[in-house]
Amino acid sequence: MEKLKVGIIGCGFISSIYMQNCPKFDNLELVACADLDVERAQAQAQKYNIPKACTVDELLYDSDIQLVINLTIPKAHAAVCIQALEAGKHVYTEKPLAVTREEGKQIIATAKKHNLLVGSAPDTFLGAGIQTAIQLIEKGEIGVPIGASAFMINRGHEHWHPDPAFYYAEGGGPMFDMGPYYLTALVSLLGPIKRLAGSTRISYPERIVLSEPKAGTKIDVSTPTHISGTIDFASGAIATITTSFDAFGGTSLPPIEIYGSKGTLLVPDPNTFGGPVRIRKMNEKEFADVPLAFSHSENSRGLGVSDMAQSILTGEKHRANGELAYHVLEAMHGFHDSSINGTYYQMESTCERPKPLNIEQQANS
């Protein structure tokens, strides 16, 4: 199989799983990594047997590299994506696509200008769990989807993350941190969003870091940390979503439920690739586990990069694409706008529901 030469920009915490997984995909060849801290890039290159560690500019202007994976912090996503596109590279970025809608539009416009592709995490919806759930919906196992609920509720990142401050700044918060997983999953299950409404709050204006090495450091919170919303999908389905960093006692709620005319489907955590997937049909008394119908139930971050590489090589549309990522970005801002303005937010963008994978595609990737 033809391989696409790939370079990674950003060698922080999340880079390890991409560097570990890239060699597992038949159409990816990871040839370089770069970071503002070149020593960090060199350390990662040595650890994961990457041929070249270099500066960001050196990677961008390496003519051999065809696709850049952007793993920088969210506020740098737009600048690095646009730099890569202007340098003639396709680009796949970690979530979110950008911090602002204006930046997101600029990324998409720059890609179109240069006839290049943009992709964005999350790609967890391509994993065995959610793809099995999609297959059940496609087969009519729960009838017509009527509604859904989604819950991402925890106690916040200062309890475990070594440097959690950016989670409480603009572009952070539970909606921008974890919302991409949940909203991307919902769009892949139910299609694009038509309108939404939200209520948001900053429950604690100051947080204290409890994790090392910055334990005791104070964080001023400048973005909402508890968001509840209602989503109207173009298909007619209605969903509710809550994302929170303020539940210090945790939760017992499921990640995602889909309610259909013939049954209810329990969808696994969209921050994972596996199961469990469970279903209860209208005449049944209990939920039953459904065997996963696809591969990639382990941590397969990079699956979206591989799918995008296949698109570059064959011309088929990739699934974790820029239009989907921008639609999710707009929706996340929409919850905040709705809360501020006291009105529904009407979505300006739309996207195609990502084409479900088939068994053969997963078996061969």
Side-chain angles (χ1 to χ4, degrees):
M1 180 179 289
E2 186 179 354
K3 291 180 179 285
L4 211 69
K5 293 187 184 298
V6 176
I8 288 177
I9 296 178
C11 295
F13 182 78
I14 194 66
S15 69
S16 292
I17 190 62
Y18 281 89
M19 293 172 178
Q20 178 182 319
N21 284 349
C22 274
K24 298 178 181 179
F25 297 105
D26 293 340
N27 57 5
L28 301 179
E29 182 181 359
L30 181 56
V31 298
C33 64
D35 195 278
L36 291 176
D37 182 350
V38 178
E39 289 186 358
R40 182 159 62 176
Q42 291 170 340
Q44 288 292 81
Q46 183 176 8
K47 183 176 181 180
Y48 294 101
N49 298 313
I50 301 168
K52 179 180 178 181
C54 56
T55 67
V56 172
D57 283 345
E58 287 171 339
L59 189 148
L60 287 174
Y61 295 103
D62 183 333
S63 59
D64 288 338
I65 294 172
Q66 300 159 281
L67 189 156
V68 168
I69 302 175
N70 178 6
L71 304 182
T72 58
I73 60 174
K75 68 179 182 180
H77 282 183
V80 172
C81 284
I82 290 168
Q83 278 184 290
L85 292 165
E86 294 285 4
K89 319 291 188 190
H90 304 281
V91 65
Y92 181 95
T93 186
E94 249 302 323
K95 53 80 186 172
L97 175 65
V99 171
T100 69
R101 283 162 286 195
E102 292 73 19
E103 289 175 337
K105 288 177 181 178
Q106 190 177 0
I107 292 170
I108 301 299
T110 304
K112 288 181 178 178
K113 174 184 173 183
H114 295 285
N115 196 29
L116 295 166
L117 297 185
V118 172
S120 179
D123 57 3
T124 46
F125 74 97
L126 299 175
I130 292 176
Q131 286 297 313
T132 297
I134 290 171
Q135 184 186 73
L136 292 170
I137 293 174
E138 293 277 300
K139 288 182 175 180
E141 294 293 329
I142 63 167
V144 177
I146 294 167
S149 60
F151 302 99
M152 195 302 298
I153 300 172
N154 64 39
R155 60 196 303 199
H157 289 21
E158 72 273 22
H159 293 82
W160 65 271
H161 197 280
D163 191 14
F166 75 92
Y167 289 104
Y168 298 98
E170 182 185 5
M175 181 56 71
F176 282 86
D177 176 38
M178 296 300 293
Y181 294 105
Y182 285 76
L183 292 171
T184 301
L186 288 170
V187 171
S188 73
L189 291 157
L190 300 173
I193 299 166
K194 182 179 179 181
R195 71 172 187 174
L196 51 82
S199 294
T200 71
R201 65 175 290 179
I202 296 175
S203 301
Y204 307 101
E206 185 179 89
R207 316 281 285 222
I208 306 297
V209 179
L210 301 176
S211 55
E212 296 297 340
K214 296 188 176 182
T217 303
K218 294 180 180 179
I219 300 172
D220 292 325
V221 180
S222 57
T223 193
T225 51
H226 189 95
I227 300 98
S228 290
T230 303
I231 305 168
D232 291 352
F233 292 89
S235 65
I238 299 171
T240 57
I241 185 170
T242 299
T243 65
S244 182
F245 284 165
D246 299 342
F248 293 163
T251 179
S252 62
L253 294 167
I256 297 176
E257 295 183 335
I258 308 292
Y259 314 114
S261 59
K262 295 181 180 179
T264 295
L265 182 63
L266 303 188
V267 180
D269 182 350
N271 190 23
T272 65
F273 288 82
V277 177
R278 310 190 75 204
I279 192 170
R280 179 183 174 184
K281 297 189 178 181
M282 59 188 302
N283 295 320
E284 297 174 344
K285 293 183 178 181
E286 297 180 351
F287 283 92
D289 289 329
V290 179
L292 300 183
F294 296 86
S295 57
H296 295 301
S297 60
E298 73 288 351
N299 188 341
S300 299
R301 278 179 168 81
L303 187 55
V305 182
S306 178
D307 186 59
M308 181 174 166
Q310 195 65 16
S311 176
I312 294 167
L313 295 170
T314 66
E316 296 179 6
K317 186 168 184 177
H318 61 299
R319 294 166 175 84
N321 57 65
E323 289 75 18
L324 171 60
Y326 179 78
H327 190 62
V328 168
L329 176 65
E330 184 191 0
M332 293 191 295
H333 278 286
F335 290 114
H336 290 200
D337 288 357
S338 172
S339 183
I340 291 168
N341 298 324
T343 60
Y344 274 101
Y345 178 85
Q346 302 287 339
M347 293 288 287
E348 295 179 359
S349 70
T350 188
C351 66
E352 294 181 11
R353 180 182 172 211
K355 183 180 178 181
L357 292 174
N358 57 50
I359 301 296
E360 290 75 18
Q361 282 174 309
Q362 281 240 336
N364 293 330
S365 61

